[in-house]
Amino acid sequence: MAFSHDMAHSLATVVELINTAPETHGEEALCDLSDLADFLARRQVSGIGALERRDLDEVRAVRAAFHEVCTAPDREGVITRLNALLSGTRITPRLTEHDGHPLHIHYFAPGSSVAEHLAAECAIALAYLLVENEWERLRTCAAPDCSHIFIDESRNRSRVYCDSRTCGNRMHVAAYRARRRA
């Protein structure tokens, strides 16, 4: 499935946000406001004002909620958790063009906190993934020492590693060496 620009961007943002958590990253990657500002700049999150300590705490809470959504044991669990997350946002869809991006839809309400902004944009993207029966594209890396979450955008849904250059290559080399020893 080919995702629109804003859908792909929001899915990549939620995946990267989840992967900043100690459970997936191995250590906290959002340690302070500077880390949060870097994350928001890297993900080109627009409409963000000055950051405060509460923003960091709220974003970490939203990140934990997204992790629960993405690791729910079944479809009903995903729906329940995603609805709970969506119910905590003020969603105001509006068309926008900015920063050289094509026309797309923003879902966060004007004046939203950064956490509510991320919750609205990313939860809508995950909801579309679920509605389009593409939820299985959201995966956890198959490498035994990696718990990163990723979106499989391959045509045949065959991707199993978060990054083919690191985890994939490491696992293929290990399998090759094991075959050579046998």
Side-chain angles (χ1 to χ4, degrees):
M1 165 179 217
F3 300 119
S4 66
H5 161 76
D6 50 331
M7 171 92 161
H9 184 266
S10 293
L11 289 172
T13 299
V14 72
V15 164
E16 188 173 336
L17 179 62
I18 292 168
N19 289 336
T20 65
E23 300 82 25
T24 56
H25 188 67
E27 61 186 8
E28 179 61 68
L30 293 178
C31 297
D32 54 31
L33 290 177
S34 174
D35 292 336
L36 178 57
D38 290 346
F39 170 81
L40 296 171
R42 192 171 51 253
R43 295 303 317 148
Q44 298 178 333
V45 177
S46 62
I48 302 298
L51 296 173
E52 299 176 12
R53 175 63 196 193
R54 71 174 170 74
D55 291 316
L56 180 60
D57 296 336
E58 290 173 359
V59 167
R60 285 178 180 165
V62 165
R63 176 185 67 187
F66 277 128
H67 190 263
E68 288 180 15
V69 167
C70 294
T71 58
D74 54 28
R75 186 173 186 272
E76 291 74 29
V78 170
I79 293 169
T80 300
R81 288 171 175 89
L82 199 50
N83 277 335
L85 192 57
L86 284 166
S87 70
T89 65
R90 295 172 292 146
I91 294 179
T92 307
R94 65 187 188 290
L95 294 169
T96 184
E97 291 177 295
H98 60 87
D99 301 324
H101 296 295
L103 185 65
H104 59 282
I105 302 172
H106 278 291
Y107 293 97
F108 62 93
S112 297
S113 69
V114 66
E116 188 176 6
H117 178 134
L118 290 170
E121 294 287 325
C122 296
I124 289 291
L126 289 174
Y128 276 117
L129 200 64
L130 187 63
V131 167
E132 294 297 325
N133 292 318
E134 297 288 347
W135 191 257
E136 70 277 357
R137 289 185 180 274
L138 186 68
R139 299 197 176 139
T140 301
C141 184
D145 59 341
C146 182
S147 55
H148 281 181
I149 296 209
F150 67 96
I151 301 290
D152 178 7
E153 293 185 60
S154 67
R155 188 177 253 175
N156 63 357
R157 302 175 182 169
S158 61
R159 190 171 152 203
V160 294
Y161 301 114
C162 65
D163 185 355
S164 61
R165 291 181 310 265
T166 54
C167 290
N169 192 37
R170 190 175 69 251
M171 297 308 297
H172 290 122
V173 167
Y176 170 78
R177 289 180 180 161
R179 286 191 307 271
R180 297 284 293 178
R181 281 192 302 269

